[in-house]
């Protein structure tokens, strides 16, 4: 991986999720040789919404996706925080034109499937290999060998583990350790707004209960689809699945006593998915030689600041910059500089999200939304705890 005998490295990205696709898009725009290996047999449109803060949109902008996403997404005037029972407004975070003027990029609410499809459109189609579940990788001299569950193998000069909260690449780097189940589950769904009677869903609202909450928002400009996501204690349900079905009866029971507007929304909803919420403490290291992690693989967090995917996108921009800076030089050093640049910020957001206080009281979100991954200073590589 040094300048001697230099030929352009080829990159294997494990995982075609939000981070993996974004990085593949950014690297392929520079002419790099990239291949994405995804365990799923095909892309699935899961019924979920996603919030993209201005810090995330800055990265999507570099992929040329902003105009498309503005057409597909809802542009909320605010994030309203309300008391679960009385409906009292606790704090309203201004979004819309206010946030856009302040941060130079919009806050957008969209269908997760729309975001995923947009990211996939930024990657050459033949660069994504589906049905490739990574089971092992070995660094052998100058390159890395990848082995997949279907019995095939591949070679790469560098590997980026963008394989999510249960990352196999993280496990290979740092040893087996299950992410921590928080004891909370999220019920989530997207359904036709026309089914909701007697209440208008026209912004993003978080209804704060004593130990549980629900967030409700539209996911397209015409507001024809509405999303909600709960966080509810359920200490015995640590199932790892994107597609597990939940029971509506469970949602009604969990949110009994919530404000009438919330009841109208959940009563209208035909079905939900149920998702156990996992997280980790900040990791001691994110890279080892030609292998590096990004996104949930290295900083899985609770969704309470709506920043997990945004952090993954920030990672991709900084990693792409560090790879470009190392061009023809020491890529492993570039990976360590990426890690040094990103670790403290990701840890701050990870630990902040764990508190579940974002927006409950008057606060200034500038340190999160104002971050620009394209101009943030790149740090020098530093020794990690494992060195
Ligand atoms: C309820 C909920 C709501 C959320 N809301 C928001 C929000 O509003 N805004 C926000 O920014 N974030 C949000 N998040 C967080 C966000 O979903 C994650 O942080 C984000 O998806 C992380 O992206 P990623 O690319 O790291 O991982 P993922 O998007 O999880 O992608 C990982 C990919 O790797 C693949 N994979 C896994 N293992 C292997 C393997 N061994 N071999 C090959 N492929 C593999 C997976 O199939 C998957 O496609 C939310 C999370 C939850 C749970």
């Amino acid at each position: 991986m040094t300048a001697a005998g230099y030929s352009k490295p080829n990159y294997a990205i494990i995982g075609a999720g939000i981070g993996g696709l974004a990085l593949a898009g950014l690297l392929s725009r520079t002419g790099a040789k990239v291949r994405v290996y995804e365990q799923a047999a095909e892309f699935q449109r899961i019924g979920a919404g996603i919030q993209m803060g201005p810090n995330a949109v800055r990265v999507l902008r570099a992929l040329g996706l902003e105009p498309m996403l503005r057409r597909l997404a809802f542009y909320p005037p605010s994030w309203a925080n309300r008391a679960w029972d009385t409906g009292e407004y606790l704090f309203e975070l201004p979004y819309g034109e206010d946030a856009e003027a302040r941060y130079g990029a919009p806050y957008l609410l969209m269908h997760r499937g729309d975001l995923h499809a947009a990211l996939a459109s930024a990657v050459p189609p033949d660069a994504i290999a589906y049905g490739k579940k990574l089971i092992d990788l070995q660094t052998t001299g100058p390159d890395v060998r990848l082995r997949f569950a279907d019995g095939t193998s591949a070679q790469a000069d560098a590997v980026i583990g963008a394989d999510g909260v249960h990352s196999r690449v993280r496990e290979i780097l740092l040893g087996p350790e299950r992410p921590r189940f928080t004891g909370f589950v999220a019920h989530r769904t997207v359904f036709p707004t026309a089914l909701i009677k007697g209440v208008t869903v026209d912004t993003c609202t978080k209804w704060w209960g004593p130990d549980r909450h629900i967030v409700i928002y539209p996911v397209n400009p015409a507001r024809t689809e509405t999303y909600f996501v709960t966080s509810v204690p359920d200490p015995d349900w640590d199932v790892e699945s994107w597609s597990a079905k939940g029971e509506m009866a469970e949602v009604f029971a969990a949110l009994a006593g919530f404000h009438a507007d919330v009841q109208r929304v959940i009563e209208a909803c035909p079905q939900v998915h149920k998702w156990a919420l996992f997280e980790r403490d900040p990791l001691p290291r994110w890279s080892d030689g030609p292998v590096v992690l990004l996104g949930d693989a290295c900083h899985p967090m609770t969704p309470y600041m709506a920043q997990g995917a945004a952090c993954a996108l920030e990672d991709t921009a900084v990693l792409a910059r560090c790879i470009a800076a190392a061009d023809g030089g020491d890529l492993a050093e570039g990976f360590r500089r990426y890690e040094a640049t990103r670790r403290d910020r990701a840890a701050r957001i990870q630990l902040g999200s764990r508190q579940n206080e974002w927006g409950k009281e008057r606060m200034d979100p500038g340190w999160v939304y104002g971050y620009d991954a394209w101009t943030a200073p790149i740090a020098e590589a530093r020794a990690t705890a494992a060195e």
Side-chain angles (χ1 to χ4, degrees), residues 225-254:
E225 288 193 304
T226 295
Y227 168 65
F228 74 68
V229 56
T230 70
S231 170
V232 168
D234 194 347
D236 299 322
W237 204 85
D238 60 346
V239 175
E240 298 167 8
S241 164
W242 269 101
S243 51
K245 290 267 174 3
E247 298 297 329
M248 281 313 300
E250 220 179 84
V251 180
F252 298 144

Side-chain angles (χ1 to χ4, degrees), residues 15 17 19 38-39 51 112 132 134 163 188 275 296 306 308-310:
E38 166 59 43
Q39 65 179 2
Q51 312 191 32
R112 196 185 167 96
K132 295 286 173 195
L134 181 87
D163 49 345
R188 56 181 175 174
W275 176 255
D296 278 10

Side-chain angles (χ1 to χ4, degrees), residues 338-349:
Y338 148 75
E339 176 181 343
T341 306
R342 292 292 305 150
R343 242 173 47 184
D344 289 353
R345 173 168 171 86
R348 186 176 175 197
I349 296 177

